[in-house]
Amino acid sequence: MSREETNLWPDQQPDLDALSVNVKVHAEFVEGEDRIAFLVEVTDVPPSLLGVRMRLALGPVTVMTFTPPDRPTTHPLRFGPTRLDYANVVLLNSHVLTLRPDDATAQAAVTVHHGTGEVMEAMTLRDEAVFFERIQLHHSRFRDRRLLVLGARASFPHLASFEARCAALTVVAHRLLEADPAEPPSKFASALAAWVLSEGDILVTEGAARLAQAREAAWSDVRWTVSLATVCALLSLCRDDIEGAHHHFGIAAAQTHHVAVAPVSALNLVNACLFKGLLLAMDDRMEEAREHFERGVKAFPPCVAAQNVMLNVWVIGDLINVARASRLCFIALARCGLLPPSNEPVISPGSHLDLGGVQSPVARILAAGHARRLAEFVASVAEVSPKVLAS
């Protein structure tokens, strides 16, 4: 078949559409490897496309080329497997599967909608409800964490709502923060973190503006602005970006008065007060530090009042973690010399500024050698070596 014939005249486009309906792509992880295997099954080929070399692409990347036989067959045709690196697939800016004759222009390509396997499912979540079900909700999401990252990244360009876009970035950030901060990040992890922070800066700023302008804050705006600001602050610390941590912890801490709207954000809110206060004290901005530490202490009663302690046992566990963070805000006030003189002790001599005692990776991040200036300040206040901050 000539090149001219394979460049798809308009009357041939229906044949390519018909072929795409009969193409099914299966994608799964290669066992024991961070690679994805793709297999193609074709159940019927229009006569005009018999013997025509076809190109299957994932976004801009070719998955495989295959050529149907010159004559019709009565059995399904199978091609592959071909393999692509998981990291390279995740970092694609498009995860749309398309099909076209190898010699046709890219404009002629049609979308392939039929697929099997969890990898295909993660790349083709059909709407935001399914996105939340398979990527964000703990009881129904993918068990393989690689699929959470892939699904969040692949879905992001198609997500319209503020909460879904924030959730996608937050999911990826949490997977990055699960890594040992003492280990140098891979190029893949660094690229993902840069993407989260670039998009996260935009969304956190949008969320802060929405909350500042709202007469009544919406649950989703509070919950996702605080969550995304928190993980962006933590990633900033991992990247030795003190100003980024300042910015994001500050936005989260500023939403403390909204805890009744989003009780699920209680721990992030109080932690943000603690860490923002420490950053301010490090910069010798003591009055602002006092304001944030006091906000973290005073937030504890509203955090308790906002919760239904009979909802489940985890609510009380969460409040215990909030209490620890609020207590550290009080200890920080004392250790930074921000409490008024008193004839009675306000903390015991054994009350240490132990960041390892709060539910947060900050202590591990500092102990691993990141954000060294903050680590040295906290160590000086806590009267310990920076290396033992996470003990």
Side-chain angles (χ1 to χ4, degrees):
M1 186 169 286
S2 71
R3 176 176 294 274
E4 182 180 52
E5 290 174 311
T6 59
N7 270 329
L8 283 189
W9 296 334
D11 61 347
Q12 291 176 292
Q13 196 72 40
D15 290 341
L16 186 56
D17 291 333
L19 175 61
S20 71
V21 171
N22 291 292
V23 171
K24 181 185 293 183
V25 180
H26 179 80
E28 63 183 15
F29 285 114
V30 178
E31 186 174 356
E33 299 181 30
D34 281 334
R35 291 198 297 166
I36 299 170
F38 293 85
L39 299 99
V40 169
E41 180 180 276
V42 182
T43 54
D44 190 30
V45 182
S48 68
L49 296 175
L50 289 169
V52 176
R53 185 178 179 87
M54 307 300 298
R55 180 176 295 273
L56 178 73
L58 182 63
V61 173
T62 296
V63 175
M64 70 173 71
T65 58
F66 62 90
T67 306
D70 293 332
R71 297 180 180 180
T73 63
T74 58
H75 56 80
L77 304 169
R78 294 184 175 86
F79 303 96
T82 59
R83 296 173 175 83
L84 297 177
D85 287 339
Y86 164 74
N88 292 339
V89 169
V90 170
L91 293 175
L92 291 174
N93 289 324
S94 170
H95 293 81
V96 177
L97 274 171
T98 58
L99 185 69
R100 62 179 172 86
D102 197 23
D103 287 341
T105 62
Q107 289 73 20
V110 296
T111 302
V112 176
H113 295 287
H114 303 294
T116 58
E118 284 192 324
V119 171
M120 276 297 299
E121 182 186 356
M123 290 191 295
T124 56
L125 300 173
R126 66 178 181 272
D127 55 40
E128 290 192 0
V130 177
F131 162 79
F132 276 104
E133 177 186 353
R134 299 300 280 144
I135 302 298
Q136 195 271 320
L137 295 176
H138 181 74
H139 63 279
S140 57
R141 67 189 183 186
F142 292 115
R143 296 298 97 188
D144 190 323
R145 296 180 180 187
R146 294 174 297 180
L147 293 174
L148 299 178
V149 173
L150 176 59
R153 171 80 178 193
S155 298
F156 189 78
H158 313 293
L159 298 173
S161 71
F162 173 78
E163 55 266 38
R165 290 170 68 79
C166 287
L169 297 178
T170 302
V171 164
V172 175
H174 277 300
R175 303 292 78 77
L176 292 169
L177 291 165
E178 289 168 353
D180 182 353
E183 294 294 326
S186 65
K187 289 184 179 179
F188 171 55
S190 295
L192 271 184
W195 172 69
V196 169
L197 288 168
S198 175
E199 297 290 349
D201 280 340
I202 298 169
L203 284 170
V204 169
T205 301
E206 177 187 340
R210 291 161 73 107
L211 291 170
Q213 296 163 8
R215 295 184 63 181
E216 294 185 8
W219 177 89
S220 59
D221 287 349
V222 178
R223 190 258 198 266
W224 289 112
T225 298
V226 172
S227 291
L228 184 55
T230 298
V231 295
C232 284
L234 296 171
L235 288 177
S236 295
L237 287 179
C238 290
R239 293 161 66 91
D240 302 308
D241 178 7
I242 292 291
E243 289 308 309
H246 250 303
H247 174 69
H248 289 293
F249 278 136
I251 286 179
Q255 314 312 322
T256 308
H257 60 292
H258 289 312
V259 70
V261 176
V264 69
S265 300
L267 180 59
N268 282 339
L269 290 169
V270 177
N271 276 349
C273 290
L274 172 63
F275 300 132
K276 177 65 173 180
L278 289 171
L279 287 163
L280 290 165
M282 175 192 74
D283 288 342
D284 202 31
R285 296 159 62 181
M286 288 306 187
E287 284 307 310
E288 293 172 86
R290 182 202 306 275
E291 176 188 339
H292 281 79
F293 292 143
E294 288 186 355
R295 185 182 300 168
V297 175
K298 294 175 181 178
F300 181 61
C303 288
V304 176
Q307 295 280 14
N308 175 6
V309 294
M310 292 303 296
L311 182 64
N312 56 53
V313 71
W314 296 283
V315 169
I316 295 177
D318 289 342
L319 288 174
I320 290 171
N321 290 330
V322 173
R324 290 193 179 109
S326 187
R327 180 176 182 272
L328 270 195
C329 285
F330 194 99
I331 292 171
L333 280 167
R335 295 302 181 193
C336 292
L338 296 174
L339 288 176
S342 172
N343 292 327
E344 299 293 332
V346 291
I347 64 170
S348 68
S351 297
H352 297 297
L353 188 59
D354 177 16
L355 296 189
V358 294
Q359 193 71 22
S360 168
V362 165
R364 291 190 298 109
I365 292 169
L366 299 185
H370 300 292
R372 187 171 299 279
R373 192 161 66 91
L374 177 61
E376 290 174 352
F377 172 76
V378 173
S380 69
V381 174
E383 298 180 344
V384 297
S385 163
K387 290 293 184 181
V388 300
L389 287 175
S391 63

